[in-house]
């Protein structure tokens, strides 16, 4: 055993390694990304690790490895699970040989996601067992247990965590590599009656899954992670049922003086029914403290109905816990006070001065700013539609650019532009998609638009990385997570192979050329594409700094109003460049009507 | 012993290293540590916060409101933003240098740091305001605000760790060529 101070996601990664994981795949997404990155970093070469093109591909890679008897892991964020749902729903009917864990990070808040969906609910839908840890230490230990359960019962299992567990740090005990689980991989054994999904097999296996989950409910009732605190206090008439980080928030509010019987649920599916009955015995009222869906609450109401118990179950559905957003120590404390009929401390009046708002913006020197500005400038005065997508470039919606009219999910912008364009033939429709998003789920959209005779301009914002999630490689970068240098997949070649006649690659930082390219390409009919190629500023060395010629500058603020670059600031009412932020991209020099902004080196 | 420390500032100011040093120093003393940081979209030019909980008895990685022993603020408005977390009689160490929001140039912000430090002076008894511009000029580097503020926190209030503890952590975490500079920053506020 060793002590390490690590992030929840690192603990999850080390847990998988201790369990003997041999194949790891995933697609980056906050707050899940660090799991796969940690395994890649600590890999001694014996584990195959890949960033897959999307979550569906990743899940299929992991399934194949598990078919062959290896322990495998696939990682994703909650919306990524939507992409992986097709193989996952079917995989449950087929089962696996080696232990397989589907690690999904949920994002209550949501802090950096489109939805507040709950993977626990997906566990009921897909029939997979699910593990839901509360702390970093538990995340480590439960990951090892999840692999054991998976292998023992021949089913993939969910390991679900939330932002505060994934991104919380703690000093925890971890195994030494010599203590890791070791085994031989048998390899894939052909058996078409087992591995080929047909309706007859699905019917058979459906029955088995239902029976297994009834059995697992009993086994989970004995699982030590589903525990009850203060169980023996028979005078206790009120109890709390909780899970994940909300358990920690509840414990912050409970001490010896006001300890309630508390049921911590680590496996909401299959729900540990017998343990729940133990917990409910003699209780008049239960407060369910959960984030996202009222999963425990519904299960307890179901159990009360089934066993004709009079216990009143409170939670989200009774208005005792907020239905959306994150819980906090304070919100949970308030809910417990109301539950116990206690007065809450009154919040002190906030008399603080107005605080500056610091919204997220595109970085200084970000090539996306130039790309958006080029399109905006080229299409001035025309009726336009700008469909955005998922990535840093969603921030192009902020003023003054204001260049994102829609954003839905990975790759959706292309076909949304197609749909709107179908009804508005006089609108110039644009879809902006990043390079990683293009590979993940843009290509089928382009084929759909092209084949169905759509009229639109595709803009690929190619910054040679997956920037938003911390610069992961993708098929266009020519690097893999195993450290190999490989052939790059060319976006331009892909588009040409689909059949697009007009595909132009241009550097957005050469603003004049970029604007004229947009004018020319967008005037053509059919589906045509511009690839704005310029690397993310966070991965390259700045070329220099720009400077303002104070004699030429009239303080018209045109640069500020057009670009909204964080490096252009007002100092004592005068336009100035913040040298600590400027990367010398030079586009402010190109928009200045008085030629007052000159390049540092590299922009001459 | 248990201590709750909040570090706050604006993305890029070096709060993460300060948080790492505190955690490493605590680990070295055999104390359990929990912490939480803001990660993701909020980091790009946004407010950043680290919660550090040293010692036994903490369940949540996030410090409950009104339970922080000390707030170490790299920016005056961020100190005010985090004030609800400070316990009664808690201490605040604050850098007086304001960081303008990146959108300030577009209008709609008349933020100034003085208003914030005045407010803090009115509310907080145990307040230390540090002009880091001046300090960094004397130290010869603008990259040591984090260690400078940590040193000040140790001198001005009890965070359960000594300068020696932090010095050892610097020795382990920071590249050797920056050791001398960081040690000077640590001792700048005696």
């Amino acid at each position: 055993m060793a002590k390490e101070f690590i992030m929840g996601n690192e603990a999850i990664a080390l847990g998988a390694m201790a369990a003997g994981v041999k194949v790891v795949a995933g697609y980056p997404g906050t707050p899940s990304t660090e799991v796969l990155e940690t395994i890649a970093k600590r890999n001694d070469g014996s584990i195959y690790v890949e960033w897959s093109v999307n979550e569906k591909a990743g899940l299929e890679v992991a399934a194949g490895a598990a078919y062959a008897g290896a322990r495998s892991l696939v990682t994703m964020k909650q919306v990524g699970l939507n992409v992986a749902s097709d193989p996952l729903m079917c995989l449950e009917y087929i089962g696996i040989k080696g232990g397989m864990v589907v690690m999904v990070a949920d994002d209550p808040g949501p802090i950096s996601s489109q939805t507040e969906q709950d993977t626990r609910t997906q566990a009921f839908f897909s029939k997979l067992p699910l593990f839901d840890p509360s702390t970093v230490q538990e995340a480590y230990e439960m990951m090892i247990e999840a692999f054991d359960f998976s292998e023992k019962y021949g089913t993939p299992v969910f390991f679900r965590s939330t932002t505060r567990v994934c991104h919380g740090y703690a000093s925890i005990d971890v195994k030494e590599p010599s203590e890791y689980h070791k085994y031989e991989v048998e390899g894939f054994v052909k058996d078409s009656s087992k591995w080929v999904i047909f309706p007859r097999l699905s019917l058979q296996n459906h029955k088995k899954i239902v029976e297994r989950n009834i059995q697992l409910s009993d086994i989970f009732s004995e699982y030590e992670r589903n525990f009850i605190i203060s169980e023996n206090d028979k005078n206790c008439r009120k109890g709390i049922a909780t899970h994940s980080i909300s358990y920690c928030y509840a414990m912050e509010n409970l001490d010896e003086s006001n300890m309630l019987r508390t049921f911590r649920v680590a496996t909401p599916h299959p729900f540990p029914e017998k343990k729940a009955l133990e917990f409910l015995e003699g209780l008049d009222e239960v407060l369910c403290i959960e984030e996202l869906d009222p999963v425990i609450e519904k299960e307890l109401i179901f159990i009360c109905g089934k066993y004709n118990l009079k216990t009143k179950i409170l939670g989200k559905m009774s208005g005792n816990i907020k239905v959306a957003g994150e819980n906090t120590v304070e919100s949970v404390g308030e809910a417990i006070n109301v539950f116990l009929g206690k007065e809450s401390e009154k919040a002190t009046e906030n008399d603080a001065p107005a605080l500056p708002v610091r919204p997220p913006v595109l970085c200084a020197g970000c090539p996306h700013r130039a790309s958006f500005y080029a399109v905006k400038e080229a299409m001035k005065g025309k009726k336009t539609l700008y469909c955005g997508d998922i990535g840093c470039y969603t921030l192009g919606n902020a003023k003054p650019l204001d260049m994102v009219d829609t954003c839905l999910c990975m790759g959706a912008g292309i076909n949304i532009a197609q749909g709107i364009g179908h009804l508005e033939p006089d609108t110039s429709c644009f879809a902006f998609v990043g390079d990683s998003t293009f590979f993940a789920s843009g290509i089928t959209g382009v084929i759909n638009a092209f084949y169905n005779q759509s009229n639109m301009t595709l803009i690929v914002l190619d910054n040679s990385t997956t920037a938003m999630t911390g610069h992961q490689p993708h098929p266009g970068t020519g690097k893999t997570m195993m450290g190999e240098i490989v052939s790059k997949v060319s976006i331009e070649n892909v588009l040409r192979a689909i059949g697009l006649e007009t595909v132009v690659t241009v550097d957005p930082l050469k603003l004049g050329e970029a604007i004229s390219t947009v004018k020319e390409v967008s005037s053509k009919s059919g589906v045509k594409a511009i690839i704005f190629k310029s690397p993310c500023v966070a991965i390259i060395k700045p070329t220099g700094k720009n400077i303002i010629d104070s004699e030429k500058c009239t303080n018209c603020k045109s640069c500020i109003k057009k670009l909204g670059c964080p490096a252009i600031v007002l100092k004592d009412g005068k336009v100035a460049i913040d040298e600590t932020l400027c990367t010398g991209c030079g586009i402010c020099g190109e928009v200045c009507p008085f030629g007052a902004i000159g390049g540092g080196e590299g922009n001459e | 012993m248990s201590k709750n420390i909040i570090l706050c500032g604006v993305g890029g100011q070096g709060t993460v290293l300060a948080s790492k040093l505190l955690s490493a120093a605590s680990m070295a003393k055999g104390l359990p540590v929990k912490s939480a940081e803001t990660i993701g979209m909020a980091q790009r030019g946004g407010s950043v916060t680290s919660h550090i909980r040293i010692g036994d008895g903490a369940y949540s990685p996030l410090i409950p409101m009104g339970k922080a022993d000390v707030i170490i603020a790299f920016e005056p408005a961020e100190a005010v933003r985090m004030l609800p977390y400070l316990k009664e009689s808690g201490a605040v160490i604050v850098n007086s240098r304001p960081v303008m929001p990146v959108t300030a140039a577009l209008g709609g912000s008349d933020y100034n740091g003085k208003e914030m430090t005045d407010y803090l002076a009115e509310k907080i008894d145990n307040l230390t305001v540090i002009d880091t511009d001046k300090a960094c000029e004397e130290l010869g580097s603008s990259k040591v605000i984090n260690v400078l503020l940590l040193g000040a926190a140790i001198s001005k209030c009890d965070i359960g760790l000594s300068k020696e503890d932090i010095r050892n952590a610097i020795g382990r975490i920071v590249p050797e060529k920056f050791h001398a500079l960081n040690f000077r920053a640590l001792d700048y506020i005696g």
Side-chain angles (χ1 to χ4, degrees), chain A residues 5 164 168-171 245 248-249 251-252 330 351-358 360-361 395 467-468 560 566 568, chain B residues 10 23 27 32-35 41 44 53 59-62 64-65 75 77-78 81 99 101-102 105 115-116 119 123:
Chain A
F5 179 70
R164 298 300 177 190
Y169 283 77
S171 43
I245 196 72
C248 301
Y249 297 161
M251 293 306 287
E252 288 282 347
E330 292 73 34
D351 55 354
L355 293 167
V357 185
R358 303 187 192 274
V361 290
L395 297 175
M468 190 80 194
I560 291 174
I568 310 178
Chain B
V10 176
S23 310
M27 284 270 293
V33 199
K34 281 192 166 68
S35 82
M41 215 176 196
R44 295 171 194 278
R53 313 195 70 185
Y59 287 93
S60 163
L62 295 164
M65 287 197 178
E75 206 281 342
E78 298 312 311
R81 206 187 298 279
V99 177
V102 287
E115 195 185 357
M116 299 296 159
Y119 176 77
K123 294 272 162 184

Side-chain angles (χ1 to χ4, degrees), chain A residues 237-452:
Chain A
R237 312 300 299 237
K238 291 190 174 199
I240 287 173
T242 184
H243 72 131
S244 188
I245 196 72
S246 295
Y247 163 72
C248 301
Y249 297 161
M251 293 306 287
E252 288 282 347
N253 285 289
L254 299 171
D255 54 33
E256 278 132 40
S257 68
N258 69 344
M259 188 52 77
L260 296 172
R261 192 188 300 173
T262 301
F263 183 23
R264 204 290 300 270
V265 180
T267 58
H269 185 260
F271 199 78
E273 194 171 299
K274 287 188 176 148
K275 196 77 183 175
L277 283 169
E278 247 177 70
F279 163 68
L280 289 169
E281 200 190 334
L283 290 183
D284 295 334
E285 277 186 314
V286 170
L287 175 65
C288 300
I289 305 172
E290 299 179 78
E291 279 179 328
L292 306 174
D293 292 346
V295 171
I296 299 170
E297 189 180 347
K298 281 188 179 172
E299 282 298 302
L300 290 181
I301 290 172
F302 166 78
I303 289 169
C304 286
K306 185 172 167 183
Y307 294 91
N308 205 11
L309 304 178
K310 298 258 178 327
T311 316
K312 205 165 152 193
I313 308 297
L314 306 171
K316 286 176 181 259
M317 292 188 294
S318 60
N320 289 63
I321 297 289
K322 55 183 177 177
V323 293
E326 270 195 290
N327 288 338
T328 60
V329 175
E330 292 73 34
S331 74
V332 167
E334 175 76 30
I336 292 175
N337 280 342
V338 170
F339 180 56
L340 297 178
K342 281 193 204 163
E343 290 265 326
S344 283
E345 280 175 43
K346 282 213 176 82
T348 44
E349 210 176 298
N350 189 355
D351 55 354
L355 293 167
V357 185
R358 303 187 192 274
V361 290
L362 292 172
C363 301
C366 175
H368 298 333
R369 178 177 289 104
S371 302
F372 282 126
Y373 181 75
V375 176
K376 189 176 187 175
E377 195 61 20
M379 301 312 290
K380 220 182 223 171
K382 296 210 172 105
K383 193 179 170 199
T384 53
L385 169 74
Y386 301 125
C387 291
D389 225 295
I390 306 290
C392 289
Y393 52 100
T394 315
L395 297 175
N397 77 320
K399 292 209 163 16
L401 291 170
D402 191 16
M403 283 293 286
V404 178
D405 296 328
T406 71
C407 179
L408 188 67
C409 68
M410 291 285 286
I414 299 164
N415 300 123
I416 287 176
Q418 190 191 344
I420 294 174
H422 183 69
L423 293 164
E424 293 186 13
D426 59 332
T427 301
S428 291
C429 295
F430 288 79
F432 293 84
V433 65
D435 44 350
S436 188
T437 306
F438 175 81
F439 289 115
S441 57
I443 297 172
T444 46
V446 180
I447 296 174
N448 191 67
F450 177 78
Y451 162 61
N452 289 304

